[in-house]
């Protein structure tokens, strides 16, 4: 039994990051294209982009920086981002093994919530298109209008625990970013790093992961 399987077995509920463990949301509509669209919107609104923002190719980072450089445009940028995320969700690529993983959780009676910095309409769109919705009890997406409350802030993870009726200490979060590991740790939730790329296991362990898995299929088998 690997440590990841142990953590999973001990948990009463599972929190699943969306982009990574469930799908590659920007597989069809690249993140860099969405980031460019948001930057163009800012420029059209008369904002002079600082160099660091000009260089961003992650739309979530553009939203985060909008709160600093043009707080009055957060709502406009967020609305545009949400529309782009829904578009992206229609051509996202499902993560191999996630369907089997969700089915395995259902078999052993562990409820699953999605905890994401992506917005809820996009997540719901993807779950509906892939027929995964029936395996997911709750969706805790990006707090709209409050980019500073995105992960690594623990808010969305705590909201998911509440929705599932589980104490944070009885849940486990599976994610693929430092922010996931940090959010889990701040909330008192144990974490499994989904490390599907070279070097990720080390960096996510350094960020506080309690265990590591290489694939969702591996986790599905080890429940
Ligand atoms: Mg992720």
């Amino acid at each position: 039994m690997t440590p990841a399987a142990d953590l999973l077995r001990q948990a009463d509920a599972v929190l699943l990051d969306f982009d990574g463990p469930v799908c590659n949301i920007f597989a069809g509509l690249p993140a860099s294209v969405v980031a460019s669209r948001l930057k163009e919107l800012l420029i059209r609104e008369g904002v002079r982009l600082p160099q660091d923002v000009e260089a961003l190719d992650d739309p979530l980072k553009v939203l985060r920086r909008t709160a600093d450089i043009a707080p009055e445009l957060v709502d406009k940028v967020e609305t545009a981002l949400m529309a782009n995320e829904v578009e992206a969700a229609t051509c996202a690529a499902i993560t191999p093994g996630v369907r089997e993983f969700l089915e395995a959780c259902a078999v052993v009676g562990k409820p699953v919530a999605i905890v994401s910095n992506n917005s809820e309409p996009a997540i719901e769109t993807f779950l509906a298109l892939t027929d995964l919705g029936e395996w997911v009890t709750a969706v805790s997406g990006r707090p709209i209008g409050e980019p500073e409350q995105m992960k690594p802030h623990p808010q969305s993870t705590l909201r998911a625990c509440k929705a599932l009726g589980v104490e944070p200490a009885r849940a486990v979060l599976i994610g693929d970013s430092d922010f996931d590991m940090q959010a889990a740790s701040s909330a008192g939730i144990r974490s499994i790093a989904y490390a599907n790329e070279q070097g990720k296991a080390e960096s996510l362990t350094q960020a506080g992961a309690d265990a590591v898995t290489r694939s969702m299929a591996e986790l599905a088998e080890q429940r």
Side-chain angles (χ1 to χ4, degrees), residues 74-93:
V74 163
D75 285 349
K76 227 174 208 168
V77 171
E78 178 121 51
T79 302
L81 174 54
M82 286 172 76
N84 277 275
E85 286 174 305
V86 169
E87 184 187 340
T90 63
C91 49

Side-chain angles (χ1 to χ4, degrees), residues 17-49:
D17 172 39
F18 182 62
D19 190 12
V22 177
C23 69
N24 174 2
I25 185 173
F26 295 114
L29 174 61
S32 57
V33 171
V34 179
S36 294
R37 290 175 181 175
L38 300 184
K39 287 184 278 185
E40 282 159 20
L41 186 159
L42 284 167
I43 292 166
R44 274 201 310 277
E45 292 290 334
V47 179
R48 273 194 63 180
L49 301 185

Side-chain angles (χ1 to χ4, degrees), residues 68-210:
D68 307 322
I69 62 169
E72 71 285 3
L73 293 176
V74 163
D75 285 349
K76 227 174 208 168
V77 171
E78 178 121 51
T79 302
L81 174 54
M82 286 172 76
N84 277 275
E85 286 174 305
V86 169
E87 184 187 340
T90 63
C91 49
I94 190 167
T95 300
V98 70
R99 189 179 299 277
E100 292 76 8
F101 175 75
L102 290 172
E103 287 171 5
C105 288
V107 167
V108 295
K110 288 189 208 298
V112 176
I114 307 265
V115 178
S116 177
N117 282 350
N118 293 121
S119 54
E120 287 172 16
I123 298 165
E124 300 285 8
T125 297
F126 181 80
L127 294 179
L129 283 172
T130 51
D131 279 330
L132 291 180
E134 63 172 305
W135 310 108
V136 174
T137 303
V139 174
S140 179
R142 182 173 68 245
I144 297 308
E146 299 172 308
E148 71 287 350
Q149 305 236 337
M150 290 195 275
K151 296 178 286 187
H153 194 288
Q155 201 239 58
S156 54
T157 59
L158 293 171
R159 194 151 42 91
C161 287
K162 214 170 176 186
L164 297 182
V166 68
E167 290 297 320
R170 300 296 311 152
V172 66
L173 181 144
I174 302 165
D176 69 341
S177 76
D178 289 6
F179 285 173
D180 293 318
M181 304 301 115
Q182 291 160 9
S185 162
S186 305
I189 298 166
R190 294 205 282 177
S191 57
I192 298 173
Y194 169 61
N196 61 335
E197 288 166 20
Q198 203 69 29
K200 258 197 168 176
E202 292 71 24
S203 65
L204 292 173
T205 301
Q206 232 159 40
D210 295 299

